[in-house]
Amino acid sequence: SRPGGGASSVQSSLSSGKQNEGLPWDALLLGGSFISILVVLADRRKSFEFSMPYLLFYNLVCLRVPDLLGHTVIETLGNLHSHASPAVVTTGISFTYMISMQVYTMLLGAVCSRMSSASMFPRFYFVVQIYYYLFWYMMLMVMTPGGIEDKSFWLMVGLLNGNCLLSNIGIFTQLYSAVRYRTTFSEPPLKTLFDAKLAAQDQLADVVSLLIVPATATSFHICNALSANRFDSGAVFTLWQRFGALLIARLATGVLTEEIFRRRLDVLHRADNLELQLLPLDGSRNRSRYLNDICVGPKLALESIKNIERCELYFCAVAVSCAYSVFQHDDAPVRYAFVGFGT
């Protein structure tokens, strides 16, 4: 089974500070992350494209990280509850989770660029996008029961949307280039198109998570009401009030992101006008693979929407898998993940 998850395990970690017995999941996650980073660093000067070893690494390691990462952060920092206030613990967990997800994103990006091609196939990043929001909203639901009157709630909302905005407009990538190369480079059209697709996927992941988490919690309230003949309407109202505020904040962030990308996508309109060739010539042996990610022809600015349509079944499968990872309870089989969360 997977390590601790669900409302009961999160609440117990924050209230009692006790970790679950069994395998040292935190040691497994830290050790595996360290080895993975060493592997990526060892290959940093090598050129890879459509690498089979990295494809296996992605499927066997990167896709399984959601089973461990968030729950390990909560269980590890839950021990601070006896030494600090709940607000401080909540803030510490939020920052630690955000930093851990940034490391996971960087590792996943290095793997994806080697198992496919640089600045192509953003669909493989969707696992980190959907998991980031699903687990964050689960934490928000459990750790801020006071709703919009809780200061910790607004702190987490600010951290979430601020990190989302900075990631989508490429601030972190620009800072990395400025620190490593002491300069910033002008983006080629292919990189701009890649970032636009990632931003569209990010909005999709956020909206899907905003529906999954409160809908799941509401279903638990309904089931409890049927068994106890009492429906707690106040708790459900507070729940949807929080996620309504999150949705409004997300819409505001999305509008700002779209305005920024509208200006960045001008380079794609110029590429259309000049009939710029983004893909290698027809003689490339990997051209058929490239065509699975980019359509040949005009209207490159619409590729971000076409990418969603092209990969909708894959996105659905990843969302279901990550939902089970988020709601999974350590003492129940995977198929009982949602049942264990509500008990």
Side-chain angles (χ1 to χ4, degrees), residues 140-176:
L140 199 68
M141 180 180 64
V142 175
M143 296 193 302
T144 58
I148 61 175
E149 298 179 358
D150 193 337
K151 294 181 180 179
S152 300
F153 170 79
W154 292 109
L155 176 62
M156 295 181 72
V157 171
L159 289 174
L160 174 68
N161 287 275
N163 181 67
C164 168
L165 179 62
L166 294 177
S167 298
N168 285 337
I169 64 179
I171 291 295
F172 297 124
T173 303
Q174 295 176 17
L175 289 177
Y176 174 77

Side-chain angles (χ1 to χ4, degrees), residues 2 23-24 42 45 76-77 136 141 152 165 196 221 223 225 239 244 258 262 271 276 287 289 294 313 338-339:
R2 298 169 180 169
L23 293 176
R45 299 185 183 278
T76 301
L77 296 185
W136 188 279
M141 180 180 64
S152 300
L165 179 62
H221 283 290
C223 292
L239 172 70
E258 288 183 0
R262 184 185 65 81
L276 185 64
R287 184 173 177 81
R289 293 174 174 173
I294 298 179
L313 293 179
F338 292 91
V339 177

Side-chain angles (χ1 to χ4, degrees), residues 130 133 137 201-212 247 250-251:
I130 188 70
Y133 290 112
Y137 291 145
Q201 289 180 189
D202 189 79
Q203 293 189 33
L204 174 65
D206 197 358
V207 172
V208 169
S209 301
L210 280 171
L211 295 175
I212 290 179
L247 181 60
R250 177 57 186 176
L251 290 175

Side-chain angles (χ1 to χ4, degrees), residues 33-44:
S33 301
F34 180 72
I35 294 174
S36 301
I37 292 174
L38 288 181
V39 171
V40 172
L41 290 177
D43 290 340
R44 67 185 185 278

Side-chain angles (χ1 to χ4, degrees), residues 212-343:
I212 290 179
V213 175
T216 302
T218 302
S219 67
F220 291 142
H221 283 290
I222 294 175
C223 292
N224 291 334
L226 293 176
S227 60
N229 294 324
R230 186 177 65 86
F231 181 69
D232 191 355
S233 59
V236 176
F237 176 77
T238 302
L239 172 70
W240 283 98
Q241 189 181 48
R242 278 180 287 176
F243 281 89
L246 284 168
L247 181 60
I248 294 174
R250 177 57 186 176
L251 290 175
T253 305
V255 170
L256 183 57
T257 302
E258 288 183 0
E259 176 60 24
I260 295 173
F261 265 100
R262 184 185 65 81
R263 302 182 180 184
R264 291 180 62 187
L265 289 178
D266 286 342
V267 68
L268 297 182
H269 293 297
R270 291 196 298 269
D272 281 337
N273 295 333
L274 297 175
E275 298 184 355
L276 185 64
Q277 185 71 258
L278 296 186
L279 299 180
L281 298 177
D282 294 340
S284 173
R285 60 187 179 92
N286 290 321
R287 184 173 177 81
S288 60
R289 293 174 174 173
Y290 298 143
L291 292 177
N292 288 324
D293 185 58
I294 298 179
C295 295
V296 177
K299 299 183 179 180
L300 289 173
L302 300 178
E303 269 294 310
S304 57
I305 303 301
K306 294 179 181 178
N307 178 62
I308 302 296
E309 299 173 350
R310 190 183 298 123
C311 309
E312 55 186 7
L313 293 179
Y314 174 76
F315 291 157
C316 180
V318 171
V320 171
S321 176
C322 288
Y324 275 93
S325 297
V326 168
F327 293 107
Q328 171 62 14
H329 195 272
D330 60 336
D331 58 359
V334 176
R335 62 183 180 276
Y336 297 133
F338 292 91
V339 177
F341 180 82
T343 57

